[in-house]
Amino acid sequence: MLTDLWPQYGLTIFTPRLELRLPREEELAALADLAGKGVHRPDERPFLTPWTDGAPEDRARIVLREHWSGLADWNVADWRLGLGVFREGRPLGVVTLRARDFAVVREVTTSSWLGLEHQGKGYGTEARAGLLGLAFDHLDARAARTEVFQDNHASQGVSRKLGYEHDGVSVDARGDEAVVSDRLRLTKQRWSEQNRPPVRVDGMAACRPVFGL
């Protein structure tokens, strides 16, 4: 079976409304199509990824490349887990957990996107909580980090709601504009103090070696 060779395919995170897992082929195509339809309004640029550039097919291919490269380049010293977000089998977006030298550093970084039609319904917060549940409660991470443009108010709100705290700034080029991002950090201790939705993780035992545990 595929999960015998690549145990990440057996890893599933459940929250009250959502299921987070690696998408299968047709589900990946559906997620790519969803991204092609838009993950933010055309007059915004809340991510470094240029989600409004090119044709919908170009944006869809970004999702395919990210998914395949995350699987192909995986190793215990540098891994990226991009999980599809599903509700009742319907794809809503992707959440990603990544780390370098995790067995030593014990810190992870999160990122995510949702299709435009699924935003504003609390799915982003719930999906991030599911990802953090995996990181803190099953991988024994010490901290989770994220970087958010200061004008990305939706993502800022999700991070603050989950207990992230300010940890400095960084500057990136967004086209020909220099933009400031807030670096945000959530410790395991602070995570344990937050009110959060229940999270269940299946298939973790078989995955421990691929995370370097």
Side-chain angles (χ1 to χ4, degrees):
M1 293 180 63
L2 181 60
T3 53
D4 294 329
L5 299 171
W6 210 268
Q8 297 95 313
Y9 272 103
L11 183 65
T12 306
I13 304 170
F14 299 93
T15 65
R17 296 182 295 172
L18 305 175
E19 185 176 319
L20 315 180
R21 55 178 171 77
L22 284 177
R24 275 42 176 185
E25 186 173 335
E26 290 306 315
E27 293 170 334
L28 177 61
L31 283 164
D33 182 64
L34 182 66
K37 293 176 181 176
V39 302
H40 59 79
R41 297 199 311 265
D43 60 337
E44 297 177 331
R45 175 91 184 265
F47 306 109
L48 278 178
T49 302
W51 286 112
T52 53
D53 289 359
E57 293 81 4
D58 299 318
R59 299 192 289 272
R61 291 186 184 109
I62 292 174
V63 176
L64 301 181
R65 285 193 295 269
E66 283 286 307
H67 176 77
W68 290 328
S69 67
L71 293 178
D73 296 339
W74 186 291
N75 69 77
V76 294
D78 187 0
W79 49 260
R80 183 172 79 245
L81 181 69
L83 301 177
V85 180
F86 299 92
R87 185 180 186 199
E88 298 176 348
R90 186 182 184 189
L92 308 184
V94 170
V95 290
T96 301
L97 189 72
R98 69 189 74 202
R100 290 184 178 176
D101 301 313
F102 179 75
V104 177
V105 178
R106 295 286 177 164
E107 293 201 357
V108 296
T109 301
T110 64
S111 59
S112 63
W113 62 264
L114 292 177
L116 266 174
E117 61 191 281
H118 305 302
Q119 296 175 15
K121 302 174 183 178
Y123 296 140
T125 302
E126 189 171 328
R128 178 100 68 91
L131 206 60
L132 292 170
L134 170 66
F136 288 121
D137 302 330
H138 295 268
L139 297 177
D140 197 25
R142 296 191 187 107
R145 295 174 289 109
T146 192
E147 291 193 15
V148 188
F149 288 153
Q150 292 181 335
D151 58 3
N152 185 347
H153 303 298
S155 187
Q156 289 269 1
V158 168
S159 298
R160 303 296 185 187
K161 188 183 301 182
L162 290 169
Y164 285 76
E165 298 177 295
H166 193 257
D167 192 42
V169 298
S170 61
V171 180
D172 295 287
R174 184 170 60 182
D176 58 0
E177 173 192 18
V179 292
V180 177
S181 292
D182 287 323
R183 290 202 309 264
L184 304 173
R185 191 169 186 266
L186 175 64
T187 64
K188 185 172 186 175
Q189 176 62 37
R190 188 160 173 80
W191 166 254
S192 70
E193 298 167 351
Q194 303 301 308
N195 291 323
R196 56 187 189 274
V199 175
R200 189 182 100 223
V201 176
D202 289 356
M204 181 60 210
C207 289
R208 290 183 64 82
V210 303
F211 288 107
L213 303 177

